[in-house]
Amino acid sequence: MSKEHRPRRQGRGRWAALVPGILIVLAAGFAALFWGPSLLTGAWVPEGSSPEEVDLHLRLAQVITLSIGGAIAIVGVGLSLSRHHEELEANKRDQRRLDAERDRELRERYVTAVELLSDSERPIKRTAALYALGALADDWHSAGRHDEVQVCINTITGYLRQPLDGLLQHPQDETPARSAEEGHTPSPDVPKQELHNEVSVRTTGYKIIANHLRENANPSWSENQLDLSGVQIFHPVDLTNIKVTGKGSVDLGGATITEGGSV
């Protein structure tokens, strides 16, 4: 039995032990309400008492009986409130456990997505990783964890900022990756098929961003920071009709558009 389930089961065990006592108290209360007045009247009223005296003792017996019933009701309310508090605490423990399990699952998904995104030989895996990060950001948004949403966005934009030559393999030669200072134009040594594949991957990244920034997007990234500074755009990028609000921003400072690129 896991530790997470022990507190709730122990609470149920305590309530099971209290049930017989509660039933006895309730039974005694009902008995007092039904038979208490007649018993008290018979015991207190002397023989030969006048009707006024009988009526007085009867009223007194009713007051005492009602007082007993009220005390029983107060005890019942107290027990009910105690049980309600116990259930609330159990629900809070369960919710904390579920939140911890959810966070662990989402972080595992993030690690898997990053591993796929680093696969330079398989563009389909990099595409799947970008979609996975977008979906993961949406799930973190549903959980109210906006800091984790920003982490997913940073990973997507970080990939898009990487120079093209640093991402692709060059099986035909060992041409070193060109630095950002040397220029953003794709190297002529990059095979055309690899270039085509990477265009497809990056188009997916920009599409995910645009879909989350357009009006009525749900969830929306309009209040997040998207750092696309220094990106090299060598293919059509559709960022039309996007909007940011509040503290949101899209930084395209230093971006370069080469032949074939457009925004």
Side-chain angles (χ1 to χ4, degrees):
M1 182 172 60
S2 64
K3 294 181 178 179
E4 290 83 358
H5 293 286
R6 287 178 183 172
R8 188 162 190 173
R9 292 187 179 182
Q10 289 174 355
R12 290 176 179 174
R14 288 194 294 270
W15 277 108
L18 289 174
V19 167
I22 295 172
L23 293 177
I24 291 173
V25 171
L26 291 175
F30 282 120
L33 289 173
F34 279 106
W35 296 298
S38 60
L39 291 175
L40 290 174
T41 302
W44 291 350
V45 180
E47 294 183 4
S49 299
S50 65
E52 291 79 6
E53 291 177 329
V54 173
D55 183 65
L56 177 61
H57 285 85
L58 180 59
R59 291 178 182 276
L60 181 60
Q62 288 176 338
V63 170
I64 295 174
T65 304
L66 290 175
S67 299
I68 294 173
I72 293 172
I74 293 173
V75 172
V77 170
L79 291 172
S80 177
L81 291 175
S82 178
R83 181 178 181 182
H84 181 63
H85 177 74
E86 184 79 16
E87 290 177 348
L88 287 177
E89 289 299 318
N91 290 337
K92 288 180 181 179
R93 288 194 295 269
D94 288 346
Q95 189 61 51
R96 286 194 293 268
R97 176 177 56 82
L98 292 174
D99 289 345
E101 291 177 355
R102 178 206 62 203
D103 290 358
R104 182 168 58 252
E105 177 188 353
L106 294 180
R107 289 196 172 95
E108 288 174 355
R109 285 170 53 188
Y110 176 79
V111 172
T112 300
V114 171
E115 290 175 351
L116 292 174
L117 198 60
S118 63
D119 192 329
S120 60
E121 297 182 354
R122 297 174 178 82
I124 191 170
K125 287 190 175 183
R126 300 197 297 277
T127 300
L130 291 173
Y131 277 120
L133 287 167
L136 182 59
D138 293 346
D139 289 342
W140 278 121
H141 183 276
S142 298
R145 296 291 303 277
H146 301 292
D147 55 333
E148 297 290 352
V149 174
Q150 187 65 53
V151 170
C152 295
I153 293 173
N154 291 346
T155 305
I156 294 174
T157 55
Y159 178 86
L160 297 176
R161 291 197 310 272
Q162 293 188 66
L164 179 67
D165 295 350
L167 292 172
L168 304 180
Q169 298 290 325
H170 308 298
Q172 298 176 351
D173 56 54
E174 297 182 355
T175 303
R178 300 167 67 195
S179 67
E181 290 76 12
E182 294 175 2
H184 294 283
T185 304
S187 167
D189 297 316
V190 177
K192 289 184 178 180
Q193 185 59 46
E194 287 194 19
L195 181 61
H196 174 76
N197 291 338
E198 183 59 19
V199 166
S200 177
V201 175
R202 294 197 177 200
T203 298
T204 296
Y206 285 110
K207 179 180 178 181
I208 292 170
I209 290 173
N211 287 342
H212 282 87
L213 289 178
R214 292 201 169 102
E215 190 173 3
N216 299 325
N218 186 26
S220 173
W221 294 352
S222 62
E223 294 190 1
N224 291 93
Q225 293 76 48
L226 289 91
D227 182 7
L228 294 172
S229 59
V231 293
Q232 55 186 105
I233 299 175
F234 51 90
H235 57 91
V237 173
D238 183 8
L239 295 178
T240 57
N241 299 321
I242 65 172
K243 61 182 295 185
V244 293
T245 59
K247 296 181 179 179
S249 64
V250 178
D251 183 1
L252 284 166
T256 58
I257 301 177
T258 59
E259 183 178 356
S262 63
V263 179

